[in-house]
Amino acid sequence: MSRQIEQLLDTLEKDKGIIFAKMTKNEAKMKLTNNTNYYKVSCFKKNFKKNINTGKYVNLNFATLYDLSVVDARLRDVFLKMSLDLEHHLKKRFVKIITEAPSIRHKGIFNQFDSYLESIYTGRSPYISIFRKILPVTNDVTHYDYPIYNKYGTGRSLERLKSNLPVWVLMEKMTSGHLVKFLDFYIVKRLANYSYFSNANEFYKNVNKIRNAAAHNRPFLFNINNVAQVGSITRVSSFISDKIKITFNKSSDFTSAIRVVQNQKFHDILSLLYLYDQYVEDTVTKSIRKRALLNVINRTKLNGDLYSNHNELKEMFFTFEKLVKDF
């Protein structure tokens, strides 16, 4: 394994132009052996420019890549917590609205949602009811959700359950991916107070991508500072651009911020930030998360010299800091 890491580092140096000035190869090898792995560091090179003639990266230190991997891990930790907070508050609001709305029979919402999913299903294999997906039959009494499965699990009683499941069961067992579809269902069917969820319906799918990356410990901050690197947002939504205008009231600063936001991942980050601000009602939790984000931003300044030659990345950090401070 040690020899393999040495070969990978040699390739970074000779073929990619990565410099080992602020972190020696031996130090780099120790980091990859004990703290992380090659991919979780090397992937961040996609944030930096190459010489168009040689195809090698310009003034890029391995220490910069490693520092970004540390920042990325800390940021993912905060993003995961924020995503879970947001998911909880959206589900909590759904339970309240649906149970209180005289126009909705809340014990039948499960069945309505299942019918909607079946109507939009385009797969080749037979449609599998959401009942069976999130409320399976189990005899495993050690399963954390056994009490729910035992009471509501889909066995012979499936037909009876279809019209009698409480909405809280649906919300409790619904995945974040199911929540994306439930938001769409709720808006399409124009159910009680549906307009309240309009921004969530449009942007929560972006949050779900961040949540999944963070939950599965996948690097996030690569392909973050260049519009062309990971798709592009041709038109930034008014929901997000209006928020940015509050922070960047000068036209030149606003134009620069919009350029950064056109990167798909950065746009997803702002989707999380602004949906969080709109739907999470707990001010104490909001304050804790904001402080955590600012701590991560301050971490990028700890080794600021590593980024001195990389203006686009510095611009991205600057824009993010300004937007978080106004969050």
Side-chain angles (χ1 to χ4, degrees), residues 121-301:
Y121 180 69
T122 58
R124 294 183 177 180
S125 55
Y127 171 74
I128 299 176
S129 168
I130 191 173
F131 292 88
R132 298 200 184 280
K133 286 183 178 179
I134 70 175
L135 288 172
V137 178
T138 181
N139 294 317
D140 182 6
V141 296
T142 66
H143 195 291
Y144 289 170
D145 284 333
Y146 178 77
I148 292 179
Y149 291 155
N150 188 47
K151 184 172 182 178
Y152 299 106
T154 55
R156 289 173 296 178
S157 59
L158 174 59
E159 293 305 316
R160 176 182 61 81
L161 289 173
K162 278 190 174 184
S163 60
N164 289 286
L165 274 168
V167 65
W168 71 262
V169 176
L170 174 61
M171 293 299 153
E172 181 69 21
K173 292 301 301 166
M174 183 189 294
T175 66
S176 182
H178 287 137
L179 181 56
V180 171
K181 295 176 181 178
F182 188 84
L183 283 161
D184 189 56
F185 151 75
Y186 202 85
I187 298 294
V188 167
K189 297 299 182 181
R190 300 172 73 90
L191 297 178
N193 205 7
Y194 70 92
S195 61
Y196 173 80
F197 298 100
S198 59
N199 285 331
N201 181 50
E202 184 174 358
F203 297 102
Y204 186 75
K205 60 181 70 73
N206 302 333
V207 174
N208 191 49
K209 290 187 290 183
I210 295 178
R211 179 196 182 280
N212 289 340
H216 295 285
N217 200 29
R218 295 197 301 267
F220 181 79
L221 286 180
F222 66 95
N223 283 335
I224 190 67
N225 69 314
N226 188 323
V227 173
Q229 284 182 327
V230 54
S232 61
I233 306 299
T234 56
R235 178 183 172 276
V236 177
S237 69
S238 58
F239 172 65
I240 287 182
S241 63
D242 287 349
K243 297 280 189 180
I244 295 173
K245 282 179 183 176
I246 297 172
T247 302
F248 297 96
N249 46 31
K250 290 183 179 179
S251 59
S252 59
D253 292 339
F254 175 74
T255 300
S256 176
I258 287 295
R259 188 201 71 78
V260 173
V261 175
Q262 284 179 306
N263 176 277
Q264 179 68 61
K265 282 188 175 179
F266 200 91
H267 187 270
D268 292 348
I269 290 173
L270 292 192
S271 297
L272 171 59
L273 209 63
Y274 294 141
L275 288 186
Y276 195 95
D277 188 46
Q278 179 177 353
Y279 293 105
V280 175
E281 300 160 339
D282 187 340
T283 56
V284 174
T285 300
K286 277 186 179 179
S287 178
I288 292 171
R289 301 298 182 241
K290 179 176 180 177
R291 187 161 59 248
L293 285 174
L294 291 173
N295 286 340
V296 176
I297 291 168
N298 288 333
R299 175 59 181 75
T300 68
K301 299 175 182 179

Side-chain angles (χ1 to χ4, degrees), residues 312-326:
E312 288 185 347
L313 201 59
K314 288 195 297 182
E315 181 185 25
M316 187 273 292
F317 285 147
F318 171 78
T319 301
F320 185 50
E321 179 177 14
K322 291 276 286 183
L323 293 170
V324 168
K325 284 182 176 178
D326 272 3

Side-chain angles (χ1 to χ4, degrees), residues 26-54:
N26 190 54
E27 290 171 330
K29 185 174 74 172
M30 294 300 293
K31 295 290 187 184
L32 296 182
T33 301
N34 300 321
N35 297 0
T36 183
N37 64 55
Y38 176 78
Y39 172 72
K40 287 186 183 294
V41 176
S42 65
C43 66
F44 296 105
K45 65 183 182 293
K46 295 183 180 294
N47 287 325
F48 302 93
K49 291 182 177 179
K50 288 182 178 181
N51 183 302
I52 58 174
N53 296 317
T54 65

